[in-house]
Amino acid sequence: MIATLNKSKTALTINRQEFKLALGKIGAGIDKQIASLKKAKQSYDAAEMAREVVSEANIFEAIIEGFNEAEETSLKLTDITNLELAQGWIEDFLEKYKDI
């Protein structure tokens, strides 16, 4: 499970290991796209591609929406207890594409 809902159903905690696995899957897709562009000798900005994919995915909003639907809660982004830490994991992920 990518996040854990607390017993009172008022807060979520992002699971580091599961979240990083999800980012890894996103990264695999980006890597395939980069490989295709390289093969076709087309120009690309890997860092911009990664930022765009992450922003389009709306990862945290999707997590909140999923829990709200499944658990009949009305959580908001501010209800993620380790949101800053998880955002740091995304920044670490994006750093990987900075110099490609």
Side-chain angles (χ1 to χ4, degrees):
M1 178 78 67
I2 203 160
T4 303
L5 184 63
N6 70 359
K7 290 181 182 182
S8 63
K9 295 187 176 185
T10 58
L12 284 175
T13 301
I14 304 293
N15 178 306
R16 180 181 186 269
Q17 183 177 356
E18 293 293 324
F19 191 76
K20 288 203 169 200
L21 282 172
L23 287 176
K25 290 179 182 182
I26 291 169
I30 293 168
D31 293 344
K32 282 184 180 181
Q33 189 175 13
I34 289 170
S36 292
L37 291 170
K38 280 183 179 178
K39 187 175 180 180
K41 297 184 181 186
Q42 293 181 355
S43 64
Y44 63 92
D45 180 338
E48 179 60 30
M49 288 170 53
R51 281 191 302 275
E52 191 173 304
V53 168
V54 167
S55 73
E56 285 179 10
N58 295 319
I59 295 169
F60 299 117
E61 291 171 12
I63 292 169
I64 290 289
E65 186 177 308
F67 272 91
N68 284 342
E69 188 175 309
E71 299 290 334
E72 298 180 0
T73 56
S74 57
L75 299 168
K76 300 174 198 79
L77 285 177
T78 56
D79 296 322
I80 297 177
T81 60
N82 59 343
L83 183 59
E84 286 184 29
L85 184 60
Q87 287 172 326
W89 300 332
I90 288 178
E91 289 172 18
D92 292 344
F93 169 78
L94 293 174
E95 189 69 26
K96 165 181 156 180
Y97 293 96
K98 191 174 181 179
D99 297 322
I100 290 181

